[in-house]
Amino acid sequence: MIVHQQLPMSVNLASFDFLLIEMVHMAKRLSEKQETVVSNDERMEKGYSFLENIGFQVGRKLAERLLLTRNRIVESIDVMRFLCRELWPIVFRKQLDNLKTNRKGTFVITDNYFFWFSKMTAATGTEMKEYTTPYLYFPSGFIRGVMHTFGYPVQVIAQCPNLPTCIFQVRFPQPSNVPTTENAASNQPSESAQSVSQQNTDLSRISGRSLSSTTLGVNNTPSPLNPTNPSHPEETS
Amino acid sequence: MVKLRLVFLAIAGPKNEQLYLEVFDSLEKSLLSKYQYLSELSLDVIQDLVQNPERTSNDCFLGLLGVEEDISTYAFCSNTNVKFILAVRSSDFVVRESEIRQLLRRIYTIHTHAVCNPFSLELTPDTLKQSLYFNETLQQLSLDWNNQ
């Protein structure tokens, strides 16, 4: 049963905020207890991966609930539109500002004024990266969960170049036999990058049906822990 | 004894694996393999229907799939690629499509409620079998419908 509330849900939102902050702190404590890993980044990835899993489950189930009353959504573009227009305002309280694509299976979601970061410190550079990275695991897991509900094993990369802007890159699996560079990446789908040049991929406005990378689930390998499985689905153009 | 109108309900996941198959009449448990065969057939028909690029309607309810002997199957394909196949006995009774549509939508709703259980991690063939909520509500639904 879905209740669309018009009144501001202050108790819900406040408790969600507090819960998330405490979860991030707990993940940080967990990650500090790890003794066997080598570098700082690796330790952070291992410790925070459970945050990402939580986001994944939340994304999956929320998407299932919201799809109850809807007609079929087939294209990957429609899926992204559903994510941006309907899911994002529910969880993050505001609409997404920008959605771009480069027709080869990558979407870039930009959110200016990500509200979790709006009250954060005014530090810049590496300090800011340290502060904001833990909080990015949950949203990237969330996006991955939503995509998984539709059957797309995507890879999500989250960056925070300026406070409070956030950028999420969503990479769909390529429908060809050539293994792409995404397959060489590690299993952890979210990382923080300092260089701004990563955002300057080939971006153009969305149009047309050139992006569908999967059929309705026959040849998919939607295992959640292995988003980089090369699959051979048929094109539905 | 009056025969029950609903014969079986099959639920198939995104990779066409069978998640749930329930035969409503307890006397017909021996025909389980026949119903499994029927549900696989229906899955093939669904796949054809869904991948047809000339499909105009964007609806989830796929309608009547086929009639075999006296059993007619209806299907519903959700956005998450979970397919619901319902078979009714159509020889003795007149079945209206709107009723089936409503029933399938209700089944989809309770399936979603059962899957959104925060303690269930993956959608395996056991998830629905072990969910008390799903089993009981399904029984209730089928009883209500049969007693109409």
Short mmCIF file of all heavy atoms in Angstrom, two decimals, chain A residues 79-131:
data_model
loop_
_atom_site.label_atom_id
_atom_site.label_comp_id
_atom_site.label_asym_id
_atom_site.label_seq_id
_atom_site.Cartn_x
_atom_site.Cartn_y
_atom_site.Cartn_z
N VAL A 79 13.83 3.56 -17.64
CA VAL A 79 14.21 3.16 -16.29
C VAL A 79 14.91 4.32 -15.58
O VAL A 79 14.62 4.65 -14.44
CB VAL A 79 15.12 1.93 -16.34
CG1 VAL A 79 15.69 1.65 -14.99
CG2 VAL A 79 14.35 0.74 -16.84
N MET A 80 15.83 4.96 -16.30
CA MET A 80 16.53 6.08 -15.69
C MET A 80 15.59 7.22 -15.39
O MET A 80 15.70 7.90 -14.37
CB MET A 80 17.65 6.58 -16.61
CG MET A 80 18.74 5.58 -16.85
SD MET A 80 19.53 5.04 -15.36
CE MET A 80 20.43 6.48 -14.92
N ARG A 81 14.65 7.41 -16.30
CA ARG A 81 13.67 8.48 -16.06
C ARG A 81 12.85 8.18 -14.83
O ARG A 81 12.57 9.07 -14.01
CB ARG A 81 12.75 8.60 -17.27
CG ARG A 81 12.73 9.98 -17.84
CD ARG A 81 11.86 10.06 -19.03
NE ARG A 81 12.65 10.06 -20.24
CZ ARG A 81 12.22 9.56 -21.39
NH1 ARG A 81 11.05 8.99 -21.47
NH2 ARG A 81 12.98 9.61 -22.45
N PHE A 82 12.45 6.93 -14.68
CA PHE A 82 11.68 6.54 -13.49
C PHE A 82 12.49 6.81 -12.24
O PHE A 82 11.98 7.34 -11.25
CB PHE A 82 11.32 5.06 -13.63
CG PHE A 82 10.80 4.43 -12.39
CD1 PHE A 82 9.57 4.76 -11.89
CD2 PHE A 82 11.54 3.48 -11.72
CE1 PHE A 82 9.08 4.18 -10.74
CE2 PHE A 82 11.06 2.88 -10.58
CZ PHE A 82 9.84 3.23 -10.09
N LEU A 83 13.77 6.45 -12.30
CA LEU A 83 14.63 6.68 -11.14
C LEU A 83 14.70 8.15 -10.81
O LEU A 83 14.54 8.57 -9.66
CB LEU A 83 16.03 6.11 -11.44
CG LEU A 83 17.12 6.49 -10.47
CD1 LEU A 83 16.94 5.73 -9.19
CD2 LEU A 83 18.48 6.16 -11.04
N CYS A 84 14.92 8.99 -11.82
CA CYS A 84 15.16 10.40 -11.56
C CYS A 84 13.89 11.12 -11.13
O CYS A 84 13.91 11.95 -10.24
CB CYS A 84 15.71 11.08 -12.80
SG CYS A 84 17.20 10.33 -13.36
N ARG A 85 12.79 10.81 -11.82
CA ARG A 85 11.61 11.63 -11.55
C ARG A 85 10.85 11.17 -10.32
O ARG A 85 10.21 11.96 -9.67
CB ARG A 85 10.66 11.58 -12.74
CG ARG A 85 11.30 12.14 -13.96
CD ARG A 85 10.45 13.18 -14.63
NE ARG A 85 11.25 13.80 -15.68
CZ ARG A 85 11.09 13.54 -16.96
NH1 ARG A 85 10.14 12.71 -17.33
NH2 ARG A 85 11.86 14.10 -17.85
N GLU A 86 10.86 9.86 -10.07
CA GLU A 86 9.98 9.41 -9.01
C GLU A 86 10.72 8.93 -7.77
O GLU A 86 10.32 9.23 -6.66
CB GLU A 86 9.12 8.27 -9.56
CG GLU A 86 8.80 8.51 -10.99
CD GLU A 86 7.40 8.15 -11.34
OE1 GLU A 86 6.68 7.72 -10.44
OE2 GLU A 86 7.03 8.31 -12.50
N LEU A 87 11.77 8.17 -7.96
CA LEU A 87 12.43 7.62 -6.79
C LEU A 87 13.28 8.64 -6.07
O LEU A 87 13.29 8.67 -4.84
CB LEU A 87 13.33 6.46 -7.20
CG LEU A 87 12.61 5.16 -7.41
CD1 LEU A 87 13.61 4.09 -7.68
CD2 LEU A 87 11.84 4.80 -6.18
N TRP A 88 13.99 9.44 -6.82
CA TRP A 88 14.93 10.33 -6.17
C TRP A 88 14.24 11.34 -5.25
O TRP A 88 14.70 11.58 -4.14
CB TRP A 88 15.77 11.05 -7.24
CG TRP A 88 17.09 11.50 -6.73
CD1 TRP A 88 17.39 12.72 -6.21
CD2 TRP A 88 18.29 10.75 -6.67
NE1 TRP A 88 18.69 12.77 -5.83
CE2 TRP A 88 19.28 11.57 -6.11
CE3 TRP A 88 18.63 9.44 -7.05
CZ2 TRP A 88 20.57 11.15 -5.92
CZ3 TRP A 88 19.92 9.03 -6.86
CH2 TRP A 88 20.87 9.88 -6.30
N PRO A 89 13.12 11.94 -5.67
CA PRO A 89 12.46 12.87 -4.75
C PRO A 89 11.97 12.21 -3.48
O PRO A 89 11.92 12.84 -2.43
CB PRO A 89 11.28 13.41 -5.56
CG PRO A 89 11.66 13.22 -6.95
CD PRO A 89 12.48 11.98 -6.99
N ILE A 90 11.64 10.93 -3.57
CA ILE A 90 11.14 10.28 -2.37
C ILE A 90 12.26 10.09 -1.36
O ILE A 90 12.09 10.32 -0.17
CB ILE A 90 10.52 8.93 -2.74
CG1 ILE A 90 9.25 9.16 -3.53
CG2 ILE A 90 10.21 8.14 -1.50
CD1 ILE A 90 8.60 7.91 -3.93
N VAL A 91 13.41 9.67 -1.82
CA VAL A 91 14.46 9.36 -0.86
C VAL A 91 15.29 10.59 -0.53
O VAL A 91 15.67 10.77 0.63
CB VAL A 91 15.38 8.26 -1.43
CG1 VAL A 91 16.38 7.84 -0.40
CG2 VAL A 91 14.55 7.09 -1.84
N PHE A 92 15.58 11.41 -1.51
CA PHE A 92 16.48 12.52 -1.27
C PHE A 92 15.80 13.87 -1.31
O PHE A 92 16.48 14.89 -1.38
CB PHE A 92 17.61 12.48 -2.29
CG PHE A 92 18.41 11.22 -2.22
CD1 PHE A 92 18.31 10.28 -3.23
CD2 PHE A 92 19.22 10.96 -1.15
CE1 PHE A 92 19.03 9.11 -3.15
CE2 PHE A 92 19.95 9.80 -1.08
CZ PHE A 92 19.85 8.86 -2.08
N ARG A 93 14.53 13.86 -1.31
CA ARG A 93 13.73 15.07 -1.10
C ARG A 93 13.82 16.12 -2.19
O ARG A 93 13.30 17.20 -2.02
CB ARG A 93 14.11 15.75 0.21
CG ARG A 93 13.28 15.31 1.36
CD ARG A 93 13.55 16.18 2.54
NE ARG A 93 14.61 15.64 3.35
CZ ARG A 93 15.23 16.33 4.29
NH1 ARG A 93 14.90 17.58 4.50
NH2 ARG A 93 16.15 15.77 5.00
N LYS A 94 14.51 15.86 -3.26
CA LYS A 94 14.48 16.86 -4.31
C LYS A 94 14.67 16.18 -5.65
O LYS A 94 15.15 15.06 -5.72
CB LYS A 94 15.55 17.91 -4.09
CG LYS A 94 16.95 17.37 -4.15
CD LYS A 94 17.92 18.48 -3.93
CE LYS A 94 18.06 19.37 -5.14
NZ LYS A 94 18.60 18.69 -6.31
N GLN A 95 14.33 16.86 -6.71
CA GLN A 95 14.48 16.28 -8.04
C GLN A 95 15.94 16.30 -8.44
O GLN A 95 16.71 17.15 -8.00
CB GLN A 95 13.69 17.13 -9.04
CG GLN A 95 12.23 17.11 -8.80
CD GLN A 95 11.52 16.42 -9.94
OE1 GLN A 95 12.13 16.18 -10.97
NE2 GLN A 95 10.27 16.11 -9.75
N LEU A 96 16.27 15.39 -9.34
CA LEU A 96 17.62 15.40 -9.88
C LEU A 96 17.76 16.55 -10.86
O LEU A 96 16.85 16.86 -11.60
CB LEU A 96 17.89 14.10 -10.63
CG LEU A 96 18.35 12.95 -9.77
CD1 LEU A 96 18.59 11.77 -10.63
CD2 LEU A 96 19.61 13.33 -9.07
N ASP A 97 18.94 17.13 -10.88
CA ASP A 97 19.07 18.30 -11.72
C ASP A 97 19.42 17.96 -13.14
O ASP A 97 19.01 18.64 -14.06
CB ASP A 97 20.16 19.22 -11.15
CG ASP A 97 19.73 19.75 -9.81
OD1 ASP A 97 18.62 20.27 -9.74
OD2 ASP A 97 20.48 19.60 -8.85
N ASN A 98 20.18 16.94 -13.34
CA ASN A 98 20.66 16.71 -14.68
C ASN A 98 20.85 15.23 -14.93
O ASN A 98 21.36 14.52 -14.08
CB ASN A 98 22.01 17.42 -14.82
CG ASN A 98 22.17 17.95 -16.20
OD1 ASN A 98 21.42 17.59 -17.09
ND2 ASN A 98 23.16 18.80 -16.38
N LEU A 99 20.44 14.81 -16.10
CA LEU A 99 20.67 13.43 -16.48
C LEU A 99 21.23 13.44 -17.89
O LEU A 99 20.59 13.92 -18.81
CB LEU A 99 19.38 12.63 -16.43
CG LEU A 99 19.44 11.22 -17.02
CD1 LEU A 99 20.36 10.36 -16.24
CD2 LEU A 99 18.07 10.62 -17.03
N LYS A 100 22.44 12.95 -18.04
CA LYS A 100 23.04 12.96 -19.38
C LYS A 100 23.41 11.55 -19.75
O LYS A 100 23.59 10.68 -18.90
CB LYS A 100 24.32 13.81 -19.35
CG LYS A 100 24.09 15.23 -18.99
CD LYS A 100 25.38 16.00 -19.11
CE LYS A 100 25.43 17.03 -18.01
NZ LYS A 100 26.75 17.54 -17.76
N THR A 101 23.59 11.36 -21.04
CA THR A 101 24.00 10.04 -21.47
C THR A 101 24.99 10.15 -22.59
O THR A 101 25.03 11.14 -23.30
CB THR A 101 22.81 9.23 -21.96
OG1 THR A 101 23.28 8.00 -22.45
CG2 THR A 101 22.11 9.95 -23.07
N ASN A 102 25.78 9.12 -22.76
CA ASN A 102 26.65 9.08 -23.91
C ASN A 102 26.33 7.86 -24.72
O ASN A 102 27.17 7.08 -25.03
CB ASN A 102 28.13 9.06 -23.50
CG ASN A 102 28.56 7.71 -23.01
OD1 ASN A 102 27.75 6.88 -22.68
ND2 ASN A 102 29.84 7.46 -22.97
N ARG A 103 25.08 7.61 -24.95
CA ARG A 103 24.63 6.62 -25.90
C ARG A 103 25.35 5.29 -25.89
O ARG A 103 24.94 4.36 -26.54
CB ARG A 103 24.75 7.14 -27.33
CG ARG A 103 23.97 8.35 -27.57
CD ARG A 103 22.79 8.06 -28.42
NE ARG A 103 22.16 9.30 -28.80
CZ ARG A 103 21.56 9.48 -29.94
NH1 ARG A 103 21.52 8.50 -30.80
NH2 ARG A 103 21.00 10.60 -30.20
N LYS A 104 26.44 5.13 -25.20
CA LYS A 104 27.11 3.83 -25.23
C LYS A 104 26.88 3.10 -23.94
O LYS A 104 27.59 2.18 -23.60
CB LYS A 104 28.61 4.02 -25.43
CG LYS A 104 28.94 4.46 -26.80
CD LYS A 104 30.42 4.55 -27.01
CE LYS A 104 30.72 5.55 -28.10
NZ LYS A 104 31.95 6.27 -27.86
N GLY A 105 25.88 3.54 -23.20
CA GLY A 105 25.55 2.79 -22.01
C GLY A 105 25.97 3.45 -20.72
O GLY A 105 25.96 2.80 -19.68
N THR A 106 26.36 4.70 -20.75
CA THR A 106 26.72 5.37 -19.50
C THR A 106 25.78 6.54 -19.28
O THR A 106 25.54 7.32 -20.18
CB THR A 106 28.16 5.90 -19.57
OG1 THR A 106 28.99 4.85 -19.98
CG2 THR A 106 28.60 6.39 -18.22
N PHE A 107 25.29 6.64 -18.08
CA PHE A 107 24.46 7.78 -17.70
C PHE A 107 25.18 8.54 -16.61
O PHE A 107 25.83 7.95 -15.77
CB PHE A 107 23.12 7.31 -17.15
CG PHE A 107 22.19 6.77 -18.18
CD1 PHE A 107 22.21 5.45 -18.52
CD2 PHE A 107 21.28 7.61 -18.80
CE1 PHE A 107 21.35 4.94 -19.46
CE2 PHE A 107 20.41 7.11 -19.74
CZ PHE A 107 20.46 5.78 -20.07
N VAL A 108 24.99 9.83 -16.61
CA VAL A 108 25.57 10.63 -15.55
C VAL A 108 24.45 11.40 -14.87
O VAL A 108 23.71 12.13 -15.51
CB VAL A 108 26.61 11.62 -16.10
CG1 VAL A 108 27.15 12.47 -14.97
CG2 VAL A 108 27.73 10.89 -16.77
N ILE A 109 24.35 11.21 -13.59
CA ILE A 109 23.29 11.87 -12.81
C ILE A 109 23.95 12.95 -11.98
O ILE A 109 24.89 12.68 -11.24
CB ILE A 109 22.61 10.85 -11.88
CG1 ILE A 109 21.96 9.76 -12.69
CG2 ILE A 109 21.59 11.54 -11.03
CD1 ILE A 109 21.33 8.74 -11.80
N THR A 110 23.45 14.15 -12.11
CA THR A 110 24.03 15.24 -11.34
C THR A 110 23.00 15.78 -10.37
O THR A 110 21.85 16.02 -10.74
CB THR A 110 24.45 16.38 -12.28
OG1 THR A 110 25.14 15.81 -13.36
CG2 THR A 110 25.33 17.35 -11.55
N ASP A 111 23.40 15.94 -9.17
CA ASP A 111 22.51 16.50 -8.18
C ASP A 111 23.20 17.67 -7.53
O ASP A 111 24.11 17.47 -6.72
CB ASP A 111 22.15 15.43 -7.15
CG ASP A 111 21.04 15.87 -6.25
OD1 ASP A 111 20.55 17.00 -6.41
OD2 ASP A 111 20.65 15.08 -5.39
N ASN A 112 22.81 18.86 -7.91
CA ASN A 112 23.34 20.02 -7.20
C ASN A 112 22.58 20.15 -5.90
O ASN A 112 21.41 19.92 -5.82
CB ASN A 112 23.12 21.29 -8.03
CG ASN A 112 23.69 21.14 -9.40
OD1 ASN A 112 24.73 20.52 -9.56
ND2 ASN A 112 23.01 21.66 -10.38
N TYR A 113 23.33 20.52 -4.90
CA TYR A 113 22.68 20.68 -3.60
C TYR A 113 22.12 19.36 -3.08
O TYR A 113 20.96 19.26 -2.73
CB TYR A 113 21.58 21.74 -3.66
CG TYR A 113 21.38 22.37 -2.31
CD1 TYR A 113 22.36 23.18 -1.79
CD2 TYR A 113 20.26 22.12 -1.55
CE1 TYR A 113 22.21 23.74 -0.56
CE2 TYR A 113 20.10 22.67 -0.31
CZ TYR A 113 21.09 23.48 0.18
OH TYR A 113 20.94 24.04 1.41
N PHE A 114 22.94 18.35 -3.04
CA PHE A 114 22.62 17.09 -2.40
C PHE A 114 22.39 17.38 -0.94
O PHE A 114 23.29 17.86 -0.26
CB PHE A 114 23.81 16.15 -2.59
CG PHE A 114 23.52 14.73 -2.34
CD1 PHE A 114 22.43 14.12 -2.90
CD2 PHE A 114 24.36 13.98 -1.55
CE1 PHE A 114 22.17 12.79 -2.70
CE2 PHE A 114 24.10 12.65 -1.35
CZ PHE A 114 23.02 12.05 -1.91
N PHE A 115 21.22 17.10 -0.45
CA PHE A 115 20.89 17.71 0.84
C PHE A 115 21.66 17.13 2.02
O PHE A 115 21.77 17.75 3.05
CB PHE A 115 19.38 17.65 1.10
CG PHE A 115 18.91 16.33 1.63
CD1 PHE A 115 18.76 16.13 2.99
CD2 PHE A 115 18.62 15.30 0.78
CE1 PHE A 115 18.32 14.93 3.47
CE2 PHE A 115 18.17 14.09 1.26
CZ PHE A 115 18.02 13.91 2.61
N TRP A 116 22.20 15.92 1.87
CA TRP A 116 23.01 15.40 2.97
C TRP A 116 24.26 16.21 3.18
O TRP A 116 24.78 16.27 4.27
CB TRP A 116 23.43 13.96 2.69
CG TRP A 116 22.33 13.00 2.79
CD1 TRP A 116 21.08 13.23 3.29
CD2 TRP A 116 22.35 11.65 2.38
NE1 TRP A 116 20.35 12.09 3.21
CE2 TRP A 116 21.09 11.11 2.66
CE3 TRP A 116 23.33 10.84 1.81
CZ2 TRP A 116 20.77 9.81 2.38
CZ3 TRP A 116 23.02 9.53 1.54
CH2 TRP A 116 21.75 9.02 1.82
N PHE A 117 24.75 16.80 2.08
CA PHE A 117 25.99 17.51 2.22
C PHE A 117 25.78 19.00 2.45
O PHE A 117 26.73 19.74 2.58
CB PHE A 117 26.83 17.34 0.95
CG PHE A 117 27.23 15.92 0.71
CD1 PHE A 117 27.60 15.51 -0.54
CD2 PHE A 117 27.24 15.01 1.74
CE1 PHE A 117 27.98 14.20 -0.76
CE2 PHE A 117 27.62 13.70 1.53
CZ PHE A 117 27.99 13.29 0.26
N SER A 118 24.53 19.41 2.45
CA SER A 118 24.30 20.85 2.50
C SER A 118 24.70 21.43 3.84
O SER A 118 25.01 22.60 3.93
CB SER A 118 22.84 21.14 2.22
OG SER A 118 22.04 20.49 3.20
N LYS A 119 24.71 20.59 4.88
CA LYS A 119 25.07 21.15 6.19
C LYS A 119 26.48 20.77 6.60
O LYS A 119 26.86 20.93 7.73
CB LYS A 119 24.10 20.62 7.26
CG LYS A 119 22.65 20.81 6.93
CD LYS A 119 22.20 22.19 7.28
CE LYS A 119 20.72 22.44 7.10
NZ LYS A 119 20.03 21.65 6.14
N MET A 120 27.25 20.25 5.66
CA MET A 120 28.57 19.75 6.04
C MET A 120 29.60 20.86 6.07
O MET A 120 29.34 21.98 5.69
CB MET A 120 29.01 18.68 5.07
CG MET A 120 28.58 17.32 5.46
SD MET A 120 29.48 16.19 4.46
CE MET A 120 29.14 14.71 5.30
N THR A 121 30.77 20.49 6.43
CA THR A 121 31.85 21.46 6.58
C THR A 121 32.21 22.10 5.25
O THR A 121 31.92 21.59 4.18
CB THR A 121 33.08 20.74 7.13
OG1 THR A 121 34.20 21.56 6.93
CG2 THR A 121 33.28 19.46 6.37
N ALA A 122 32.90 23.21 5.33
CA ALA A 122 33.29 23.93 4.12
C ALA A 122 34.70 23.59 3.70
O ALA A 122 35.32 24.33 2.97
CB ALA A 122 33.16 25.44 4.35
N ALA A 123 35.21 22.47 4.13
CA ALA A 123 36.56 22.09 3.74
C ALA A 123 36.59 21.73 2.27
O ALA A 123 35.59 21.34 1.68
CB ALA A 123 37.03 20.90 4.58
N THR A 124 37.75 21.83 1.67
CA THR A 124 37.86 21.50 0.25
C THR A 124 38.98 20.50 0.05
O THR A 124 39.80 20.28 0.93
CB THR A 124 38.15 22.75 -0.59
OG1 THR A 124 39.29 23.39 -0.02
CG2 THR A 124 36.97 23.68 -0.58
N GLY A 125 39.03 19.96 -1.14
CA GLY A 125 40.16 19.10 -1.49
C GLY A 125 40.09 17.74 -0.82
O GLY A 125 39.04 17.15 -0.70
N THR A 126 41.24 17.25 -0.38
CA THR A 126 41.28 15.87 0.12
C THR A 126 40.49 15.72 1.40
O THR A 126 39.90 14.68 1.64
CB THR A 126 42.72 15.44 0.41
OG1 THR A 126 43.43 16.57 0.89
CG2 THR A 126 43.37 14.88 -0.81
N GLU A 127 40.47 16.76 2.21
CA GLU A 127 39.70 16.63 3.45
C GLU A 127 38.24 16.40 3.16
O GLU A 127 37.58 15.57 3.77
CB GLU A 127 39.84 17.93 4.24
CG GLU A 127 40.88 17.86 5.31
CD GLU A 127 40.78 19.09 6.19
OE1 GLU A 127 39.67 19.62 6.30
OE2 GLU A 127 41.81 19.49 6.72
N MET A 128 37.76 17.16 2.17
CA MET A 128 36.35 17.02 1.85
C MET A 128 36.09 15.63 1.31
O MET A 128 35.05 15.02 1.58
CB MET A 128 35.98 18.08 0.81
CG MET A 128 34.55 17.99 0.41
SD MET A 128 34.25 18.85 -1.11
CE MET A 128 35.06 17.79 -2.25
N LYS A 129 37.04 15.13 0.53
CA LYS A 129 36.84 13.80 -0.02
C LYS A 129 36.69 12.79 1.11
O LYS A 129 35.86 11.90 1.07
CB LYS A 129 38.03 13.44 -0.92
CG LYS A 129 37.81 12.16 -1.68
CD LYS A 129 38.97 11.87 -2.57
CE LYS A 129 40.06 11.18 -1.78
NZ LYS A 129 40.86 10.27 -2.59
N GLU A 130 37.52 12.94 2.13
CA GLU A 130 37.43 12.00 3.24
C GLU A 130 36.09 12.08 3.94
O GLU A 130 35.53 11.08 4.38
CB GLU A 130 38.50 12.32 4.27
CG GLU A 130 39.62 11.34 4.32
CD GLU A 130 40.58 11.72 5.41
OE1 GLU A 130 40.13 11.87 6.55
OE2 GLU A 130 41.75 11.95 5.08
N TYR A 131 35.60 13.30 4.06
CA TYR A 131 34.34 13.44 4.79
C TYR A 131 33.16 12.91 4.00
O TYR A 131 32.25 12.32 4.56
CB TYR A 131 34.07 14.91 5.11
CG TYR A 131 34.96 15.48 6.17
CD1 TYR A 131 35.35 16.80 6.14
CD2 TYR A 131 35.42 14.69 7.21
CE1 TYR A 131 36.16 17.33 7.11
CE2 TYR A 131 36.24 15.21 8.18
CZ TYR A 131 36.61 16.54 8.13
OH TYR A 131 37.41 17.06 9.09
#
